[in-house]
Amino acid sequence: MAITFDKGVFLLSSPKSTYVMRLHEGRYLVHCGWFSRIETWTGACDMPLAPRSFAPETDGTDKNDAFSLDVVKLEYPAPCGTDFRASAFKVSSLSPAGEDGEETISGGAELLYKEHRIYKGKHPLPSLPATYTEDDSEADTLEIDLGDPVTGLTVTLVYTVWNTFDVICRHAVFCNKGDRSITLLGAMSASVDFDGEGMRLLTLSGAHARERHPVIRAIEPGTQGVISRRGMTGHQQNPFMAILSSDATERQGTVYGMSLVYSGEFEAIAKQDQFGTNRVQIGIGNHNFRWTLEPSCAFTTPECVMVRSCEGLCGMSHTYHELYRTRLCRGKWRDKERPVVINNWEATYFDFDEEKLLRLADTAAKTGVECFVLDDGWFGHRRDDRRALGDWDVNTAKLPHGLKGLADEMHRRSMMFGLWVEPEMVSPDSNLYRAHPAWCIHSEGRPKSLSRHQLVLDLSLADVVDYLIGTFTGVLSSAAIDYIKWDFNRSPAWFYPGQAHKYYLGLYHLLEVLTSRFPDVLFESCAGGGGRFDAGMLYYMPQTWTSDNTDAISRVSIQAGTSLAYPASCMSCHVSAVPNHQTGRITPLQVRGAVAMAGAFGYELDLNRLSETEQGEIKDQIAWYKKVRPIVQFGSLYRIKSPYMSALIAGGNNAPDTLGWSAWEHVAKDKKAAAITIVWTYAEANAPFIRVKLQGLNAKDIYRFSSLKSRTTEALLKALTFEAPTGTAPVPDGTEASGEELMNAGLCIACSPTQGGSIQLYIRAL
Ligand code: DGJ
């Protein structure tokens, strides 16, 4: 059993770690720590209960002055008067009438142990996305009931411990067992008090088209962390953080990940107290949150997935990748190789008709593309982004044979057919808005705030959700649609307190219904690129459009950051045209292919404007990707060198390491094959040698190499009118080397222009 309770001590043990809590005097739930695996806990290593100045006594008896909630590590700190640090939730309630008969508003609660239950398996969270077990033997669950004797509030802390992953999933359930209403003003999913010097906080921060760049900072006295107040998780901050020991790097040291399975506003905060304890919390937080609990009513927080790794960031990522790929994502596509896509957005934008699309499809089919995705602009009178969201009838001027005709044409070309939708939005210039002007999120009496000329439908209203279920059931039934790209292109403004959470409950219901009704469809989420790249959306849609920035060099950083928490199969990545539409940068086709192949791969450019040589290279790229696809999508990722490596070295700053190179390796689960990619993010003349130490191989196996050649690079070299430095193939095809040689010595490579800025290698054990 992974969970034990003995003499007031709870031990939660996963394969390599143990999470320890104990009851103090049978009343207070104290956190003891989260360690490398320990079979028994005697208490000898517990934090001492030393008296501290200015620490208020907790139980008011004056007999026990060593115990103050302000000093100990706590499992789920209540907003009580005797812990001055951050509480895990906030409440407001009416206190019972005092001696003078007056009722007063109270903002406090105390949590005392009542009882607990341990059972096999894991229960779903009501109306919320969460990880799941397929068999009860995979995990054990502990529920601890804590209660406030004055208000009748009960908080149940729910912990699931996995037997094959170093993971603890947590959430809290608030229940009003009193007889007056209680208002919840904030609720974290998890709170962990870490002790240990020199710990650091890693978050994934950025902006639209610049998402999820790792930022690492020291945890210092006071508060540090990230918050989303945008009505969505957002491009700016991701609902994920990692706590790093002072010596943690990519491959070593202790790392604790905390990832929230949620798509709305959140806080991820680390606060260091006067004695060096780092209180780390993640959850909905208390910005603009308000939830009234009438007697007998309950509120469930989203789930937090906590990972402990003693093998640095790499170990943490491996755990998240495997867990999220197999026990968060669901449905038919969870374990299926994702198709190579052509998307028409950057190829045509709004300027297309059936004929143009079919010309693109013809060329795509010849190169080996497996799915054609029709992006924005196919419905209503949508000729630009100023109109028609909400009017989901096909525009027959553009598509005279409708979606059905187009889908059939794609199938005739042996390609799947995908369709872009943006169900949560409405344009003021639309029939839907004219019929239901009150259906958008707004604040009565204030101007309706537009962003990208559109408004957000209020999914906290059941009528709106029902309408969307009906409308999109119709769209999905109207043609043989195999793939949906579900977009969301603005941050909602003017949510009233608590409305954002109601909105996400509405969205999750909508997604649950549609994904269950259309189980064969591959759903991809998108929010102006990666504005809702979160574990909540992955529960319904197993992949996400990573970023609106398709520039290969920018994508090296974005994808490396994203890969800290999210698996390759979930990261949608496309090759686009040059000059790149977001940065203006010109990058060889070879490099664009190499970078996009780190995830669910595709193209997003007008293939008909490419030369024969370029089209030939695309054919080679797709054939190569199909060979390495199972390793990329289902194997283990090793970030051999990432743009943020320097930030991991103590004293390093967070500026991306742009003057250099990046390399990553996907290794098959049986270690018999691997795909290696090296990209020079900066071209240098006469550059130094680099050494690329492979990882995760079988030491004694002998591996044989092959590499992907680039027709455009070769053609360019032939056409050069000046004398280019000559180069040899970095690793000639057929080269053989042992796993230990490749891992311990590593490949020694000279970069020259003859390599075109990237190298893609494949190795297979003999
Ligand atoms: C934003 C997406 O990220 C793009 O890929 C594209 O689908 C546009 N929206 C369409 O409006």
Side-chain angles (χ1 to χ4, degrees), residues 97-109:
E99 282 160 16
D100 54 4
E102 286 284 309
E103 288 183 326
T104 50
I105 293 181
S106 156

Side-chain angles (χ1 to χ4, degrees), residues 250-251 314-315 317-318 321 563 635-642 645 663-668 671 674-677 693-697 743:
E250 183 66 29
R251 289 306 302 279
C314 178
S317 299
H318 283 181
H321 292 177
S563 79
S636 305
L637 170 71
Y638 291 87
R639 293 172 293 255
I640 297 174
K641 185 169 181 291
S642 329
M645 280 305 189
W664 55 91
E665 178 194 11
H666 294 96
V667 181
K671 304 184 175 195
I676 300 117
T677 307
K693 290 189 179 177
L694 303 192
Q695 300 174 19
L697 304 177
M743 292 190 291

Side-chain angles (χ1 to χ4, degrees), residues 345 375-376 420 452 485 487 489 526 528-529 545 548 604:
W345 179 242
D375 213 281
D376 194 354
W420 178 97
R452 207 198 188 201
K485 177 179 173 189
D487 211 342
N489 279 303
C526 171
W545 177 228
D548 272 351
E604 184 151 344

Side-chain angles (χ1 to χ4, degrees), residues 196-425:
E197 285 176 52
M199 292 188 123
R200 292 168 294 157
L201 170 69
L202 182 154
T203 56
L204 299 177
S205 304
H208 173 237
R210 192 160 43 76
E211 299 93 335
R212 291 175 300 284
H213 284 62
V215 175
I216 300 171
R217 67 203 100 182
I219 304 181
E220 291 174 337
T223 305
Q224 38 267 299
V226 296
I227 297 180
S228 164
R229 295 180 171 173
R230 311 186 70 90
M232 59 194 290
T233 40
H235 304 85
Q236 294 72 9
Q237 309 295 350
N238 195 260
F240 162 82
M241 65 178 153
I243 308 301
L244 279 55
S245 62
S246 54
D247 60 344
T249 63
E250 183 66 29
R251 289 306 302 279
Q252 64 190 38
T254 311
V255 174
Y256 306 88
M258 294 172 84
S259 160
L260 196 64
V261 187
Y262 192 55
S263 315
E265 299 179 351
F266 69 93
E267 295 183 15
I269 303 286
K271 298 191 180 193
Q272 189 176 92
D273 75 7
Q274 57 186 329
F275 303 118
T277 298
N278 304 307
R279 178 162 287 176
V280 180
Q281 301 179 326
I282 191 166
I284 285 182
N286 56 25
H287 166 73
N288 208 24
F289 180 76
R290 188 186 173 90
W291 206 268
T292 302
L293 287 176
E294 296 301 345
S296 305
C297 290
F299 175 84
T300 302
T301 70
E303 176 167 270
C304 167
V305 176
M306 310 198 303
V307 169
R308 186 178 189 278
S309 158
C310 44
E311 287 148 3
L313 290 168
C314 178
M316 176 197 72
S317 299
H318 283 181
T319 305
Y320 275 119
H321 292 177
E322 201 57 16
L323 182 78
Y324 280 180
R325 203 177 59 67
T326 63
R327 292 294 180 269
L328 175 69
C329 294
R330 300 175 299 164
K332 172 178 157 183
W333 284 96
R334 185 188 77 175
D335 303 321
K336 264 185 84 130
E337 291 181 27
R338 308 294 161 73
V340 177
V341 157
I342 176 84
N343 178 304
N344 74 308
W345 179 242
E346 288 198 19
T348 66
Y349 294 102
F350 293 102
D351 180 19
F352 62 83
D353 57 19
E354 188 181 86
E355 201 193 322
K356 202 176 202 180
L357 296 177
L358 291 180
R359 272 204 308 276
L360 180 58
D362 282 336
T363 312
K366 279 187 213 138
T367 57
V369 164
E370 298 162 313
C371 177
F372 186 100
V373 180
L374 172 58
D375 213 281
D376 194 354
W378 57 268
F379 51 91
H381 61 309
R382 184 134 168 118
R383 58 175 180 276
D384 56 27
D385 64 8
R386 306 188 82 91
R387 64 205 83 240
L389 289 172
D391 296 344
W392 298 104
D393 302 312
V394 68
N395 178 341
T396 45
K398 283 182 175 180
L399 304 175
H401 302 96
L403 291 178
K404 183 174 179 330
L406 192 63
D408 292 347
E409 285 293 344
M410 297 310 165
H411 292 155
R412 211 165 288 136
R413 288 162 178 77
S414 300
M415 287 192 292
M416 295 163 56
F417 175 61
L419 190 69
W420 178 97
V421 293
E422 196 176 3
E424 299 159 77
M425 299 289 167

